[in-house]
């Protein structure tokens, strides 16, 4: 049966636009290849003279053997040189296949656009069954051609674009299927050679990203501590750092390359090693995304053809998840636990951005990859990214803890905030970490009032700050935005290492916190804490309504037994972390007192929009709902003041 | 990197620039945006999924070339490159501007 749905909304202009973009893309691609050839003396633009078989024609798995560019080593020639030469001959074929594939898709889309033009018309309101059948057929043909084009692409990860400089040990395809043998084989290699090999053969890197049967060096330290509590995880960070510092740097880097999943999120491991390991994980995540999208399509097809109940559930789920405003109010468990297709696609875009978008460092240095400190796409997803440099010249470090609604699809917000802070330092001495290393509440009606997210995230926040290796003399400012303010307060209760804490449109001072005395004066390692605190909230920000609720505080002000009870519910001991295990049920709604009531806290003014941004005119006060997120925008007084605190003494 | 014997070593800055362009094609402004936008806004059409897969696959393939160029530039880079590319504080800012109203709901 012909489905009407896609075509009543199909806009042929979209297809024409995509065809135009593909034209420009193909041109840019050929230009790039030409420039690479000119720079390296390669021959990426040389067409091997192949003719891509049509969708109905069989493809050869070994195209190189019959191509003009195939290479037959002469007798007596060194094997390594022969392999390198043959690799150089592979690349032109790959390059030409990419160009062929793009051309094929461009033609397929152009034909589909023409069919829509002819049979649906600009109004796209046709319900004529014959026309709909024609359109569905055109759609099917387009799909076949696109799928065929995709098969032309060199995505196996076993075809080096350029000679990686090292020869693969044996058959890369066989090694890619056996990660443990690959680890054993590479165990004696220098880390730089392993990195070069994995760059040349990404399939080998993907294999190493699979869960490992073996453990990297340092025994139990390589695995995260069983319990993430008030002190043990912090001691674990210190122990990992000490072990890594004692080890040979080459050994440490090798471990990150061979066990990327174990090392990428290991607090205490050198940051450069973690960045490298996370890039491997990102690439593997992208490689598996196509299969995931297809599984989503199959699941949707099953639901569409299922019973009425299945179709109804599917419709409700789609309706709910596709409306951000609705999902932001109430996030039912069945929605938050299942990743929608749209979410999955947003994650792919994030991964592409993390892999391929450069980052500036405020110092005018060269293009550099983004520095991903944490990447775990499971569940709601976890990401953390460092902007700027962390070295001896670093003067200030900011850690940004975002708020409700933060998920992988919204990670660009804290990441942008971090980038803006780094860029705001004219001396280039500021680094900023955008941290989403725990689950955040997604809806303000049924998740934001709960303290459990702050309690669960607090030790992770404290540990990642400890793991940053902040150079001596540099100060640390932790900025908790919205719900992140409560999480920062909870981390303070566990001995968060910070010189300054900014409660930015903060939901509360931390679960159970009734005053500054609830923050410990020493961290679990016995180091004294000297923290200065600021608070900034735009007038009319709805977050102030949430603060006013302050249920435990209100109970505490009641007399008699109620006061006594609420005191037990709300008051925390000075021993950091214990409250997490002893949190009474009623306290699960306690995000702490209004931060502005904390003794010694400095209140900052949100100010105005200092320049035109979209529909906001310069000079307009930063207020209301917009002010909740607007305080992070560099065009506001609020941001300038934040930057002054971060970069101040 | 294997370079033909009769050629001078490549300029690392040029290599880094080429790598940045390849990264841009692979993720920033390349096929993913052109094709995935179409796939996203064309719900239900069977070609949409195929287009999406194609976009991701192209990004993957070109990203591998970008990584290879990065590695080549790193290996050959004994002098610093001068290219400034702060895409984060410019292009990304525009995307965030659109998201300000209500992007972070209050708890």
């Amino acid at each position: 049966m012909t489905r009407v749905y896609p075509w009543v909304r199909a806009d042929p202009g979209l297809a024409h636009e995509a065809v135009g973009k593909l034209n420009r893309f193909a041109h840019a691609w050929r230009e790039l290849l030409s420039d690479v050839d000119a720079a390296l003396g390669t021959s990426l633009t040389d067409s091997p003279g192949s003719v891509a078989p049509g969708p109905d024609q069989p493809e050869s798995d070994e195209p190189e053997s019959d191509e003009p560019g195939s290479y037959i080593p002469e007798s007596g020639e060194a094997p390594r040189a022969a392999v390198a030469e043959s690799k150089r001959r592979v690349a032109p074929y790959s390059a030409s296949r990419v160009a062929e594939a793009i051309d094929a898709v461009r033609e397929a889309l152009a034909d589909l656009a023409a069919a829509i033009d002819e049979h649906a018309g600009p109004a796209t309101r046709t319900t004529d069954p014959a026309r709909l059948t024609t359109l569905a057929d055109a759609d099917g043909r387009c799909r076949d051609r696109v799928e065929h084009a995709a098969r032309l692409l060199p995505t196996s990860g076993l075809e080096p674009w350029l000679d990686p400089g090292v020869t693969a040990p044996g058959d890369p395809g066989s090694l890619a299927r056996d990660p443990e043998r690959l680890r054993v084989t590479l165990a004696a290699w220098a880390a730089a050679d392993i990195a070069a090999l994995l760059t040349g053969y990404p399939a080998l890197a993907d294999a190493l990203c699979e869960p490992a049967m073996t453990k990297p060096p340092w025994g139990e330290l390589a695995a995260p501590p069983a319990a993430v509590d008030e002190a043990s995880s912090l001691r674990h960070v210190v122990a990992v750092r000490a072990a890594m510092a004692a080890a040979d740097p080459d050994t440490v880097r090798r471990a990150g390359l061979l066990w990327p999943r174990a090392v990428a999120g290991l607090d205490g491991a050198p940051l450069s090693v973690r960045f490298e390991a996370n890039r491997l994980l990102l690439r593997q995540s992208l490689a598996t995304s196509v299969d995931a999208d297809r599984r989503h399509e199959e699941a949707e097809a099953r639901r569409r053809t299922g019973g009425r109940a299945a179709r109804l559930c599917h419709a409700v789920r789609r309706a709910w998840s596709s409306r951000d405003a609705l999902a932001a109010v109430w996030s039912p468990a069945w929605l938050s636990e299942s990743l929608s297709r749209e979410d999955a696609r947003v994650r792919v875009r994030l991964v592409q951005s993390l892999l391929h978008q450069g980052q500036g460092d405020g110092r005018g240095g060269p293009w550099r990859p983004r520095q991903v400190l944490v990447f775990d796409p499971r569940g709601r997803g976890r990401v953390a990214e460092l902007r700027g440099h962390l070295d001896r010249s670093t003067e200030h470090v900011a850690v940004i803890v975002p708020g409700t609604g933060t998920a992988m699809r919204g990670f660009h917000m804290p990441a942008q905030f971090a980038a803006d802070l780094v860029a705001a330092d004219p001396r280039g001495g500021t680094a900023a970490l955008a941290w989403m290393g725990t689950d955040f509440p997604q809806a303000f009606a049924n998740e934001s009032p709960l303290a459990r997210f702050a309690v669960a995230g607090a030790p992770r926040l404290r540990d990642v700050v400890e793991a940053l290796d902040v150079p001596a003399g540099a100060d640390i400012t932790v900025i908790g935005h919205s719900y992140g303010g409560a999480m920062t307060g909870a981390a303070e209760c566990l001995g968060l290492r910070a010189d300054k804490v900014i409660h930015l449109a903060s939901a509360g001072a931390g679960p159970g916190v009734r005053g500054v005395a609830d923050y410990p004066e020493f961290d679990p390692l016995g180091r004294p804490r000297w923290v200065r605190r600021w608070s900034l909230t735009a007038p009319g920000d709805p977050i102030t309504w949430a603060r006013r609720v302050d249920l435990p505080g209100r109970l505490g002000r009641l007399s008699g037994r109620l006061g006594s009870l609420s005191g037990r519910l709300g008051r925390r001991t000075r021993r950091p972390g214990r409250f997490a295990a002893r949190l009474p049920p009623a306290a699960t709604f306690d995000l702490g007192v209004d931060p502005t009531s904390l003794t010694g806290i400095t209140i900052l003014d949100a100010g105005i929009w200092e320049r035109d941004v979209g529909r906001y005119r310069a000079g307009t006060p930063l207020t209301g709902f917009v002010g909740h997120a607007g305080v992070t925008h560099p065009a506001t007084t609020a941001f300038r003041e934040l930057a002054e605190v971060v970069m101040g003494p | 990197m294997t370079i033909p014997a009769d050629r001078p070593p490549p300029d690392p800055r040029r290599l880094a620039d080429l790598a940045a362009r390849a990264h841009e094609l692979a993720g920033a402004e390349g096929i993913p945006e052109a094709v995935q936008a179409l796939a996203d806004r064309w719900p239900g059409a069977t070609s949409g999924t195929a287009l999406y897969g194609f976009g991701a696959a192209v990004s993957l393939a070109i990203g591998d070339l970008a990584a290879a160029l990065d590695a080549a530039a790193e290996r050959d880079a004994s002098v610093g490159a001068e290219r400034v590319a702060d895409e984060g504080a410019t292009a990304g800012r525009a995307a965030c501007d659109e998201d300000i109203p209500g992007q972070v709901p209050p708890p």
Side-chain angles (χ1 to χ4, degrees):
Chain A
M1 179 184 170
T2 303
R3 286 188 293 111
V4 175
Y5 174 62
W7 306 109
V8 297
R9 292 197 344 192
D11 177 5
L14 274 176
H16 288 304
E17 188 183 325
V19 170
K21 284 184 176 176
L22 284 175
N23 269 330
R24 289 191 290 277
F25 185 89
H27 178 69
W29 170 245
R30 290 196 168 94
E31 256 189 357
L32 173 69
L33 295 180
S34 171
D35 289 348
V36 172
D37 283 349
L40 299 179
T42 53
S43 51
L44 296 176
T45 45
D46 287 354
S47 169
S50 70
V51 176
D56 301 327
Q57 293 174 279
E59 289 179 76
S60 168
D61 289 331
E62 299 293 339
E64 295 88 347
S65 59
D66 296 328
E67 298 301 331
S70 62
Y71 179 78
I72 302 171
E74 296 174 8
S75 60
E77 192 171 3
R80 182 184 173 109
V83 171
E85 182 63 20
S86 67
K87 283 171 190 161
R88 281 220 308 277
R89 299 299 175 98
V90 171
Y93 187 82
S94 302
S96 69
R97 279 194 293 173
V98 172
E100 283 175 23
I102 293 170
D103 287 342
V105 169
R106 189 180 56 187
E107 288 168 13
L109 270 177
D111 289 349
L112 180 58
I116 299 172
D117 276 338
E118 183 181 349
H119 298 289
T124 64
R125 295 291 181 198
T126 182
T127 53
D128 176 4
R131 287 185 166 202
L132 291 173
T133 303
T134 305
L135 286 169
D137 288 346
D139 176 39
R141 279 196 303 276
C142 179
R143 176 175 186 138
D144 288 346
R145 292 166 70 179
V146 172
E147 285 183 337
H148 169 71
R151 285 197 293 275
L152 291 176
L153 296 171
T155 54
S156 70
L158 294 170
E159 299 170 80
W161 283 102
L162 304 167
D163 178 8
V166 291
T167 305
D171 173 22
S174 163
L175 287 170
R177 290 188 293 274
D178 190 351
E180 297 308 332
R181 187 162 66 91
L182 179 59
R183 287 190 181 92
V184 171
T185 305
L186 299 181
W189 281 41
D193 285 345
I194 297 174
L197 179 73
L198 300 185
T199 302
Y201 298 89
L204 298 182
D206 291 348
L208 294 171
C209 290
E210 296 296 329
M213 304 291 288
T214 55
K215 287 182 180 175
W218 317 292
E220 298 78 32
L221 286 178
V228 180
D229 59 20
E230 66 177 66
S232 64
S233 63
L234 191 63
R235 282 196 288 268
H236 185 267
V237 175
V238 175
V240 169
R241 180 185 289 137
M244 299 275 183
D248 170 34
D250 198 69
T251 304
V252 175
R253 187 183 177 199
R254 187 188 306 120
L257 293 167
L258 298 185
W259 285 272
R261 196 168 288 280
V263 176
L266 188 62
D267 286 333
L271 299 189
S272 59
V273 173
R274 291 178 66 178
F275 297 152
E276 195 169 31
N278 275 302
R279 283 190 75 76
L280 299 183
L281 295 181
L282 286 165
R283 200 270 177 197
Q284 191 225 17
S285 172
L286 193 57
T288 56
S289 64
V290 177
D291 290 340
D293 192 71
R294 200 164 291 275
R295 282 198 298 276
H296 273 291
E297 184 194 37
E298 289 166 0
E300 285 180 5
R302 278 198 302 275
R303 291 191 196 104
R304 276 197 298 267
T305 56
R308 279 185 188 172
R311 288 203 301 273
L312 181 63
C313 282
H314 175 60
V316 170
R317 187 185 296 265
R318 273 195 68 88
W320 202 292
S321 62
S322 63
R323 284 164 178 76
D324 285 350
L326 198 60
V329 174
W330 190 278
S331 180
W334 50 262
L335 185 65
S336 59
E337 288 166 6
S338 64
L339 188 67
S340 72
R341 192 177 189 184
E342 289 76 14
D343 267 333
R345 289 186 170 189
V346 169
R347 289 183 178 202
V348 169
R349 279 194 213 109
L350 172 66
V351 169
Q352 285 170 335
S353 160
L354 292 173
L355 271 174
H356 300 303
Q357 197 179 53
Q359 66 140 347
D361 56 9
R363 298 180 185 179
W367 183 94
R368 295 193 311 145
R370 294 174 70 170
Q371 305 169 124
V372 180
L373 196 61
V374 176
F375 176 73
D376 186 350
R378 292 173 298 178
R380 297 186 179 197
R382 292 173 185 181
V383 193
E385 183 195 7
L386 181 72
R387 289 278 184 158
H389 288 275
L390 254 185
D391 54 28
R392 278 183 294 181
S393 62
T394 305
E395 297 170 343
H396 312 287
V397 178
V399 178
I400 294 160
V401 188
T404 297
T406 304
M408 290 184 86
R409 69 183 304 175
F411 181 71
H412 65 287
M413 295 291 285
Q416 185 61 50
F417 187 16
D420 288 336
L421 272 177
V422 171
D425 185 349
R427 294 158 53 89
T430 297
L433 177 73
W435 183 76
M436 199 193 82
T438 188
D439 287 347
F440 283 83
Q442 296 300 305
F444 64 79
N446 69 325
E447 291 193 343
S448 289
L450 303 177
R452 66 182 170 90
F453 294 97
V455 171
R460 295 189 176 93
L461 172 59
R462 180 201 56 186
D463 294 349
V464 81
V465 173
E466 182 67 35
L468 278 181
D469 287 333
V470 176
D475 54 46
I476 304 173
T477 305
V478 181
I479 305 174
H481 180 238
S482 191
Y483 190 92
M487 194 176 287
T488 302
E492 272 219 76
C493 292
L494 298 183
L496 173 71
R497 179 186 173 198
D499 302 286
K500 307 171 220 173
V501 166
I502 302 177
H503 282 275
L504 184 61
S506 172
V513 174
R514 316 309 311 168
V516 173
D518 287 318
Y519 298 130
E521 294 172 356
F522 295 87
D523 73 8
L525 301 179
R527 297 173 299 193
R529 301 180 68 246
W530 302 98
V531 183
R532 289 176 291 157
R533 299 180 183 85
W534 284 260
S535 175
L536 192 156
T537 307
D541 182 341
I543 197 77
T544 53
W545 308 339
R547 287 183 198 154
R548 286 191 198 120
V549 174
D550 188 20
L551 187 62
R554 286 175 185 276
L555 289 174
R557 286 188 285 274
L558 294 177
S559 60
R561 291 173 58 192
L562 261 184
S564 171
L565 173 63
S566 68
R568 288 207 303 279
L569 296 180
R571 192 170 300 282
R572 302 278 75 82
T573 68
R574 284 190 180 214
R575 288 188 297 171
R578 286 297 179 89
F579 72 89
R582 302 192 313 185
L583 198 66
T588 56
F589 295 101
D590 180 13
L591 297 181
V593 294
D594 183 343
T596 58
S597 70
L598 294 175
T599 306
I601 198 164
T602 304
I603 310 296
L604 299 174
D605 182 19
I608 58 173
W609 290 93
E610 297 186 338
R611 61 174 193 268
D612 292 349
V613 174
R615 58 193 172 95
Y616 309 109
R617 300 273 77 88
T620 309
L622 185 63
T623 59
F625 197 80
V626 170
H628 186 71
V631 291
T632 66
H633 197 286
T636 62
T637 309
F639 179 87
R640 188 164 47 77
E641 290 180 331
L642 290 176
E644 284 171 4
V645 171
V646 170
M647 291 151 211
Chain B
M1 164 125 335
T2 304
I3 303 297
D6 57 341
R7 293 186 64 87
D11 178 0
R13 285 174 299 186
R14 194 172 174 195
L15 278 179
D17 182 61
L18 290 170
R21 280 171 57 192
H23 279 299
E24 195 171 287
L25 276 181
E29 294 179 7
I31 278 217
E33 283 193 358
V35 171
Q36 290 176 16
L38 178 65
D40 287 347
R41 293 169 63 184
W42 211 321
T46 62
S47 51
T49 304
L51 281 168
Y52 183 83
F54 179 78
V58 169
S59 174
L60 198 64
I62 298 180
D64 289 342
L65 171 64
L69 287 167
D70 267 336
E74 265 179 39
R75 263 178 283 166
D76 294 339
S78 53
V79 295
E82 297 297 326
R83 187 167 188 275
V84 180
D86 190 355
E87 297 164 24
T90 52
R93 183 72 264 162
C96 283
D97 288 349
E98 296 170 6
D99 295 338
I100 285 177
Q103 175 65 29
V104 184

